[in-house]
């Protein structure tokens, strides 16, 4: 049943009612109707649709609104009802192109693991370290903070750069420019003769990582249908894990080499990636959603055809898919037309931006900082250099398995359930790790137990909060502000790492600073509890929803707890009046 729109442009909740064709029952009192509404909602859940004001405004901007709506609805129903087997059969090229661009994150995962492990790497400590009170060569906590902070600052700059440049160049050329730049930036850490030069190199490389972080995630979310969306967005995180695994293997193989090549070789290996990745990105089709946002409909159609197999994707289906994109984009324009960073904080976009930023902050502050410093942690817990780097390599392999496992459960349990469960499990691990560090000098058994729990913490994170965040932050924003929203969320993540996580975590474990060791688990468990509570109350479930449906749910201001149960019957519902008025105008 359609409801008249209130003033302004917004989407209005609509509740289905079961009514009788009997004229007497149509004339029953308002009290009886209210009872019917409550009963139907209890049985079937609420329903939402586009209100007539939005539909009317869209109709004013297109020549044949009826055809647009019906084609968009056909594509929406096709995508919503598509099986996983059909998605793999029809879109193997979309999968392949997304995997090529996402592989840029292998470089970031590799570099992040290298720099994090260098803080405990014998060759690097011998070259750049100082002697601690206990006689060990260490990189001071100030330099550790500075190097990590420089990388994060670089990522923030790169992310902001990507948001502006991608509007003009598109995702592909923005990524290619970053690949060219990072090829030159690698020279800084490779030839560094001081920690200051090394820090500058990390700042510049961080700029390229920032570009990769947002462009690859947005591209993965925009080139595939709903059944494949979580596979390709989770794969973005998997590429990061693959980079860590490669890095851990190389470092474990070179750990006994104490000359300068012990730390230079891992950096030199980075020159292998940019050229093949740039070639693959050059030949990839541009995101069709990006093309629609900036008025390139013909180019969007070309991209759609290149992303799907012709045998399973007819011209009619291509036209319908394009219509769905145009309709979704037009619907968002009526609510919030702009695509700037400021627009991410206006109207309903504010709620969406809040959710993606808080979700990525939850990942950063969940306690995974201990797992991110695994090798350093093992050594401070009393485990030898050789064993710690081997455990780090094994941990990367475990993280890989955890992320792959996510593929098979995410679409069954949902995004919110997996995120919440992962945070709760990590909370328990952090408490146990904290109790293992109560002794000032943990025994060998306690040190190995703490190390094993860090491995389990890493597996849990990469089975839950690690990969699922990439899916959440790509689905929650509107299509017009998706790249900007991902940038803001990732920059919130980077900022909290600079201002808090890096400062605290290094000092907690460093022997010449606070030297908390495993007791750090108590600290992170407390912060974890705060964000777990937020996720429970504020994170909505987006599983199985098309972008048009998510727009309707957010514009209806559906509470997070009701996202999964609220029904959207068709995209046609709520547009009948606008279709009729346009048809009457044509007849007149």
């Amino acid at each position: 049943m359609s409801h008249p729109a209130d003033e302004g442009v917004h989407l209005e909740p609509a509740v289905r009612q079961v009514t009788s064709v009997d004229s007497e029952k149509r004339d029953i009192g308002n009290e009886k109707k209210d009872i019917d509404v409550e009963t139907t909602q209890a049985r079937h859940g609420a329903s939402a649709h586009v209100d007539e004001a939005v539909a009317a405004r869209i109709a004013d901007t297109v020549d044949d609104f009826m055809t647009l709506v019906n084609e968009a609805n056909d594509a929406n129903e096709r995508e919503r009802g598509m099986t996983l087997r059909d998605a793999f059969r029809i879109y193997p090229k979309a999968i392949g192109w997304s995997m090529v661009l996402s592989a840029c994150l292998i470089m970031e995962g590799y570099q992040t693991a290298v720099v994090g492990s260098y803080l405990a790497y014998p060759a690097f400590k011998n070259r750049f370290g100082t002697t601690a009170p206990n006689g060990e060569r260490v990189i001071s906590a100030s330099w550790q903070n500075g190097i990590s902070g420089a990388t994060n600052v670089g990522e923030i700059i790169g992310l902001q750069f990507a948001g502006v440049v991608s509007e003009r160049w598109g995702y592909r050329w923005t990524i290619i420019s970053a690949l060219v730049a990072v090829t030159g930036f690698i020279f800084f850490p490779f030839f560094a003769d001081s920690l200051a030069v090394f820090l500058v190199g990390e700042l510049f490389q961080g700029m390229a990582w920032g570009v990769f972080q947002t462009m690859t995630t947005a591209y993965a979310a925009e080139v595939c249908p709903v059944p494949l969306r979580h596979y390709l967005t989770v794969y973005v995180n998997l590429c990061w894990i693959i980079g860590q695994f490669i890095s851990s293997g190389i470092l474990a193989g070179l750990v006994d080499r104490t000359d300068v090549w012990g730390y230079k070789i891992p950096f030199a290996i980075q020159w292998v990636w940019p050229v093949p990745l740039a070639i693959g990105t050059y030949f990839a089709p541009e995101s069709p959603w990006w093309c629609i946002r900036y008025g390139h409909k013909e180019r969007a159609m070309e991209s759609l055809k290149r992303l799907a197999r012709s045998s399973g994707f007819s011209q009619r289906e291509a036209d319908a898919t394009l219509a769905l994109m145009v309709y979704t984009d037009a619907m968002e324009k009526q609510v919030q037309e702009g695509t700037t960073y400021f627009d991410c904080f206006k109207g309903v976009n504010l709620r969406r931006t809040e959710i993606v930023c808080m979700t990525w902050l939850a990942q950063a502050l969940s306690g995974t900082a201990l797992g991110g410093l695994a090798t350093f942690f093992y050594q401070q817990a009393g485990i030898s250099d050789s064993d710690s780097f081997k455990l780090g390599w094994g941990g990367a392999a475990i993280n890989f398995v955890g992320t792959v496992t996510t593929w098979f459960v995410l679409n069954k349990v949902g995004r919110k359930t997996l995120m919440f469960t992962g945070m709760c499990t990590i909370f328990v691990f952090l408490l146990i790790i904290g109790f293992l560090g109560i002794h000032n000098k943990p025994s060998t058994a306690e040190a190995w137990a703490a190390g094993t729990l860090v491995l389990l913490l890493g597996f849990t994170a990469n089975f839950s909060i690690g990969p699922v965040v990439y899916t959440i932050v790509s689905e929650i924003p509107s299509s017009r502000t998706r790249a900007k929203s991902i940038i803001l969320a990732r920059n919130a993540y980077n900022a909290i790492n600079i201002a808090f996580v890096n400062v605290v975590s290094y000092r907690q474990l460093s022997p010449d600073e606070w030297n908390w060791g495993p007791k750090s688990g108590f600290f992170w468990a407390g912060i974890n509890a705060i964000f777990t509570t937020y996720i429970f109350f504020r994170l909505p479930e987006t599983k199985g929803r098309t972008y048009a449906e998510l727009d309707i749910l957010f514009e209806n201001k559906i509470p997070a707890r009701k996202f999964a149960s609220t029904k959207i019957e068709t995209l046609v519902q709520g547009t009948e009046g606008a279709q009729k008025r346009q048809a009457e105008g044509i007849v007149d």
Side-chain angles (χ1 to χ4, degrees):
M1 184 176 81
S2 299
H3 292 263
D6 293 334
E7 289 184 356
V9 180
H10 66 282
L11 301 178
E12 184 180 32
V15 179
R16 290 188 293 118
Q17 299 184 46
V18 178
T19 61
S20 170
V21 295
D22 189 290
S23 60
E24 293 182 4
K25 290 188 178 181
R26 286 201 301 268
D27 295 330
I28 58 177
N30 290 333
E31 184 177 348
K32 176 62 176 176
K33 288 183 180 179
D34 292 339
I35 295 174
D36 287 342
V37 170
E38 294 174 1
T39 303
T40 304
Q41 282 184 298
R43 292 178 180 176
H44 304 290
S47 175
H49 61 69
V50 182
D51 79 0
E52 293 185 4
V54 171
R57 289 175 182 253
I58 297 174
D60 291 340
T61 64
V62 297
D63 295 330
D64 192 348
F65 182 61
M66 181 181 295
T67 300
L68 175 67
V69 170
N70 283 279
E71 286 188 344
N73 185 65
D74 289 344
N76 193 72
E77 293 302 312
R78 171 180 173 270
E79 189 169 337
R80 193 161 60 173
M82 184 180 294
T83 64
L84 183 60
R85 175 178 293 182
D86 286 339
F88 276 110
R89 177 179 58 83
I90 298 171
Y91 293 97
K93 291 191 283 186
I95 296 171
W97 288 124
S98 179
M99 291 177 70
V100 169
L101 270 67
S102 296
C104 295
L105 268 296
I106 294 177
M107 294 183 65
E108 188 203 358
Y110 179 93
Q111 167 70 3
T112 302
V114 165
V115 174
S117 296
Y118 270 5
L119 303 177
Y121 204 61
F124 192 81
K125 290 193 295 183
N126 290 339
R127 176 66 180 83
F128 297 107
T130 57
T131 303
N134 61 3
E136 294 182 9
R137 295 285 290 179
V138 298
I139 306 298
S140 69
S142 297
W143 275 112
Q144 291 178 31
N145 294 339
I147 291 170
S148 297
T151 303
N152 292 139
V153 169
E155 289 175 353
I156 290 174
I157 296 172
L159 283 160
Q160 297 299 126
F161 171 83
V164 175
V165 172
S166 63
E167 289 184 346
R168 293 175 175 263
W169 295 357
Y171 296 161
R172 293 165 52 252
W173 282 106
T174 304
I175 291 174
I176 290 172
S177 66
L179 287 168
V180 173
V182 78
T183 304
F185 295 156
I186 295 171
F187 282 95
F188 282 89
F190 183 81
F191 288 108
D193 57 1
S194 67
L195 286 176
V197 176
F198 189 86
L199 183 149
V200 171
E202 291 308 299
L203 172 68
F204 285 138
Q205 287 192 94
M207 296 179 188
W209 309 146
V211 173
F212 300 151
Q213 287 169 0
T214 181
M215 293 295 100
T216 55
T217 305
Y219 187 87
E222 294 184 356
V223 299
C224 63
V226 169
L228 294 177
R229 203 158 61 202
H230 73 283
Y231 284 93
L232 296 186
T233 52
V234 166
Y235 179 76
V236 174
N237 183 75
L238 184 62
C239 286
W240 200 79
I241 301 299
I242 292 171
Q244 283 192 320
F245 180 77
I246 296 172
S247 171
S248 298
I250 291 171
L251 291 175
L254 296 172
V255 68
D256 294 327
R257 186 160 185 165
T258 57
D259 61 358
V260 294
W261 289 102
Y263 71 85
K264 283 192 173 186
I265 289 175
F267 273 111
I269 290 173
Q270 292 183 89
W271 277 309
V272 172
W273 310 111
V275 172
L277 288 174
I279 293 173
T281 303
Y282 174 79
F283 287 106
E286 186 55 81
S287 161
W289 284 95
W290 181 89
C291 297
I292 290 295
R293 283 195 294 274
Y294 297 102
H296 307 299
K297 290 185 181 180
E298 293 182 1
R299 192 176 171 191
M301 177 62 77
E302 179 184 346
S303 291
L304 286 173
K305 291 179 177 179
R306 289 189 61 194
L307 291 168
R309 293 176 61 183
S310 58
S311 59
F313 193 65
S314 66
Q315 182 61 48
R316 180 179 178 181
E317 289 170 328
D319 291 337
T321 303
L322 187 69
L324 176 59
M325 292 180 175
V326 171
Y327 182 67
T328 303
D329 185 68
M331 185 166 54
E332 292 178 359
K333 281 182 179 178
Q334 302 309 317
V335 177
Q336 188 64 59
E337 184 171 359
T339 60
T340 66
Y341 287 111
F342 182 69
D343 291 310
C344 294
F345 298 96
K346 295 169 65 177
V348 71
N349 282 339
L350 176 60
R351 179 188 177 192
R352 303 172 92 157
T353 303
E354 171 219 313
I355 292 169
V356 295
C357 289
M358 290 296 288
T359 301
W360 229 325
L361 286 175
Q363 186 195 72
L365 296 169
S366 63
T368 54
L370 293 182
L373 296 169
T375 301
F376 187 75
F377 177 82
Y378 295 146
Q379 292 179 342
Q380 298 308 314
I383 299 171
S384 68
D385 286 352
S386 177
D387 286 339
S388 65
F389 277 95
K390 288 177 182 177
L391 280 171
W393 193 15
I398 292 173
N399 294 343
F400 179 92
V401 174
T403 302
V404 171
T405 306
T406 306
W407 280 340
F408 303 99
V409 300
L410 183 55
N411 229 32
K412 294 182 178 179
V413 303
R415 284 72 162 140
K416 179 175 183 175
T417 300
L418 191 60
M419 183 81 182
F420 179 75
T421 303
M423 291 288 288
C424 291
T425 306
I426 290 172
F427 173 79
V428 173
F429 284 146
L430 290 170
L431 287 180
I432 298 173
I433 290 171
F435 281 115
L436 288 172
I438 290 179
H439 293 137
N440 288 332
K441 182 66 176 177
S443 66
T444 301
E446 288 173 331
W448 276 98
T452 302
L453 284 170
V454 170
L455 287 177
L456 290 174
L457 186 151
F459 171 81
T460 302
N462 285 285
F463 169 69
S464 56
I465 67 172
V468 75
V469 162
Y470 286 89
T471 302
I472 292 170
V473 301
S474 64
E475 291 181 336
I476 293 292
S478 68
S479 63
R480 293 183 61 77
T481 61
R482 180 172 296 113
K484 296 288 199 311
S485 297
I486 294 173
I487 288 169
L488 290 171
R490 187 66 187 188
N491 271 343
Y493 172 93
N494 289 327
I496 200 67
N497 275 322
I498 295 171
F500 185 74
V501 176
N502 292 341
V503 174
V504 171
S505 60
Y506 287 124
R507 281 173 167 75
Q508 286 174 337
L509 300 180
S510 179
D512 59 344
E513 293 286 343
W514 302 345
N515 197 26
W516 287 5
K519 290 191 291 291
S520 305
F522 289 130
F523 176 86
W524 293 109
I527 298 179
N528 175 293
I530 296 172
F531 282 90
T532 301
T533 303
Y534 173 87
I535 288 167
F536 180 80
F537 288 105
R538 292 289 290 169
L539 180 63
E541 180 55 68
T542 58
K543 180 183 72 172
R545 299 291 193 181
T546 65
Y547 294 132
E549 292 172 340
L550 289 171
D551 286 341
I552 293 171
L553 291 170
F554 275 108
E555 289 303 323
N556 274 277
K557 297 180 175 58
I558 302 297
R561 67 183 184 279
K562 294 185 178 180
F563 252 60
S565 61
T566 301
K567 296 178 176 60
I568 299 175
E569 299 296 351
T570 68
L571 297 186
V572 176
Q573 189 177 12
T575 68
E576 297 89 345
Q579 292 186 51
K580 182 179 179 181
R581 283 190 293 273
Q582 189 180 69
E584 290 173 346
I586 293 173
V587 172
D588 294 339

